[in-house]
Amino acid sequence: MLNRAAAARRALPSVDRLLRLVSVGALVSRYGRPLVVATIRAVLGEQRAKLGQARSATNIDDAALVAACAGRLGAAASASLKPVFNLTGTVLHTNLGRAPMPQCAADAVMQAMMRPVNLEFNLRDGERGERDSHVERWLTQLTRAAAAVVVNNNAAAVYLTLNTLALKKEVVVSRGELIEIGGTFRIPDIMARAGCKLHEVGTTNRTHARDYAAAISARTAVIMKVHTSNFAIQGFTAAAPEPELAALAHDHDLPFIVDLGSGTLVDLENYGLPHEPTPREALAHGADIVTFSGDKLLGGPQCGLIVGREDLIARIKKNPMKRALRVDKMTLAALDAVLRLYTNPDRLKQELPTLRWLTRPLADIEAQARRVLPALRAALGAQIEAGIIACTSQIGSGSLPVDALPSTGIALKPPARRRGAAVEVLATAFRALSVPVIGRIKDGAFMLDLRCLDDEAGFIAQLDQLRIEAP
């Protein structure tokens, strides 16, 4: 038997022989010779290893080897970044890319990608321009700041601001505002990397203006307030109001910085949502610099926005690290398009996906659940129990952490026997669809929150691809 296995290994075709096949020639035309050759060698190597462990010979013809190579090449060449259906119930899901772009932003990005643009070119005088100028006018108009800077995310915005204004000096911050967000990012760590020293004041639950006043010394560079956008402390609490801190900072000729984290350019209460502080409010309260994100509640691309006093923004722009943290033309094109939407409130709710999803009427979601349920039952069969349930969505990405939005979902429950493993199998099957469906597992069921389901027809059309294996 072992001799037959050895003979089978020797009978495997050579790389050159396979490359001469017409079917492999088609693969070379599609994927390129280097990748095809590497794949053939890998497949042949695996087959030799299997035959070496076999007790009997197994003949493998050329067609089977070519098919194996074609499958592997197709998988390797497919895009790693794929669209998905976000049915998790978290609207701004960090792992799923946070805010989706409106159509106007996608169109602007496509144009910027495919043609040269006046990124840093002043069309009026033919001289070198400043890339942030394309969005600075909108940011200053919408926030009433004197000037603005754009960097690649809000962590970069905080870093660049502190590195510019507080290098080798102290930053006074409340102990209750030393936040940590996803990926173990912590405000104290950013301060340390920015080259400044954290001076904590107050306690976890109560900090007063007098605590800040007592901390000010010749080493103090700025007073900073961090909006606790990703958690809430309740009960016996106190926080110094922004106007008091601004007055205290200005009495000592110090800048007052407010980091809003998420940030929004509109009063969400006007849309029936919980209030979230805006940059305009912070500036009106006396903040000299406000930092916030572009890809959370604002509904734009990933970026960090810095708005505030013209002289301080000028200093920040001159920091050598600004170049390392700047955004590209695609980000600026998308941000410009989104900011222009904010200048027309009548269009905003309809065209900005984030705001549209957050304000989606419950009756609309319930009606959609009734339409989708029969298609799910038909695709899953009688073994999977499917039913409409009331659930709650969350905004996500550190925004309004204690506020939930009433929603409607569909719960899929496998048979009670080995339900835990079966639910995992069910979730895996939905992730394996052409457009993966991402839900969440809760109480022994695979749950699909329909708040963010825009493409209902596309979702239903691919359900016939579901293949659920026994756990």
Side-chain angles (χ1 to χ4, degrees), residues 85-370:
F85 284 107
N86 174 16
L87 305 188
T88 62
T90 301
V91 176
L92 296 172
H93 199 302
T94 298
N95 297 32
L96 302 182
R98 292 183 179 165
M101 294 293 99
Q103 185 62 51
C104 61
D107 294 341
V109 170
M110 182 66 72
Q111 181 173 327
M113 288 175 64
M114 299 182 67
R115 301 187 61 178
V117 295
N118 59 321
L119 178 63
E120 292 184 354
F121 187 83
N122 190 316
L123 295 173
R124 289 190 302 274
D125 56 27
E127 302 292 333
R128 183 185 181 93
E130 167 57 50
R131 65 176 60 200
D132 287 355
S133 65
H134 299 289
V135 295
E136 186 173 22
R137 56 176 178 155
W138 299 124
L139 286 168
T140 54
Q141 176 180 325
L142 293 165
T143 66
R144 297 182 182 171
V149 177
V150 184
V151 288
N152 63 348
N153 59 26
N154 190 51
V158 173
Y159 169 87
L160 189 63
T161 298
L162 294 179
N163 182 256
T164 303
L165 305 180
L167 183 62
K168 298 181 180 180
K169 301 194 79 174
E170 292 184 353
V171 178
V172 182
V173 184
S174 169
R175 184 170 283 109
E177 297 173 1
L178 300 179
I179 64 169
E180 175 181 314
I181 63 175
T184 68
F185 162 82
R186 295 177 172 181
I187 283 288
D189 296 338
I190 290 293
M191 289 185 177
R193 291 293 182 179
C196 53
K197 183 179 180 181
L198 166 65
H199 190 142
E200 300 177 29
V201 298
T203 63
T204 302
N205 60 316
R206 291 177 70 84
T207 306
H208 307 278
R210 62 178 179 271
D211 296 317
Y212 292 87
I216 295 174
S217 70
R219 298 183 299 274
T220 305
V222 299
I223 292 177
M224 183 174 181
K225 187 170 182 61
V226 181
H227 175 50
T228 54
S229 59
N230 66 342
F231 72 96
I233 299 176
Q234 297 178 331
F236 189 57
T237 63
E242 288 179 0
E244 287 189 30
L245 293 181
L248 176 65
H250 299 157
D251 285 344
H252 291 80
D253 198 26
L254 298 173
F256 176 45
I257 299 172
V258 175
D259 172 31
L260 289 180
S262 178
T264 176
L265 293 176
V266 294
D267 185 350
L268 294 179
E269 288 183 299
N270 293 335
Y271 297 89
L273 296 168
H275 180 73
E276 179 78 354
T278 67
R280 179 181 292 191
E281 291 172 355
L283 292 168
H285 291 161
D288 300 293
I289 291 291
V290 180
T291 60
F292 56 105
S293 297
D295 57 338
K296 296 182 181 179
L297 287 172
L298 193 148
Q302 177 183 300
C303 59
L305 306 172
I306 310 172
V307 299
R309 266 172 46 187
E310 189 170 12
D311 60 323
L312 299 181
I313 294 294
R315 289 172 58 186
I316 291 170
K317 287 180 177 180
K318 292 179 181 178
N319 189 318
M321 287 301 296
K322 168 63 167 65
R323 184 176 182 86
L325 302 173
R326 70 185 183 182
V327 297
D328 65 2
K329 63 179 182 177
M330 282 81 79
T331 300
L332 287 170
L335 181 60
D336 175 61
V338 170
L339 292 176
R340 280 187 278 116
L341 276 182
Y342 276 89
T343 66
N344 187 349
D346 294 334
R347 294 174 53 200
L348 187 62
K349 184 177 176 180
Q350 288 72 35
E351 297 194 31
L352 193 69
T354 296
L355 194 56
R356 185 172 68 246
W357 288 348
L358 291 176
T359 59
R360 190 177 178 193
L362 181 58
D364 183 33
I365 308 175
E366 291 173 344
Q368 185 177 57
R370 290 192 293 271

Side-chain angles (χ1 to χ4, degrees), residues 375-452:
L376 277 169
R377 284 175 171 168
L380 293 168
Q383 290 297 311
I384 306 296
E385 178 187 338
I388 296 174
I389 59 168
C391 59
T392 56
S393 307
Q394 64 180 38
I395 294 173
S397 287
S399 305
L400 301 168
V402 298
D403 295 291
L405 305 173
S407 188
T408 301
I410 295 177
L412 307 177
K413 288 186 178 182
R417 184 177 62 86
R418 300 188 63 188
R419 176 166 288 175
V423 171
E424 293 288 352
V425 169
L426 194 58
T428 300
F430 274 88
R431 292 197 304 271
L433 292 173
S434 298
V435 181
V437 175
I438 316 297
R440 72 179 189 269
I441 294 174
K442 183 180 179 182
D443 299 331
F446 182 56
M447 292 178 54
L448 304 175
D449 185 325
L450 303 187
R451 174 173 292 277
C452 298

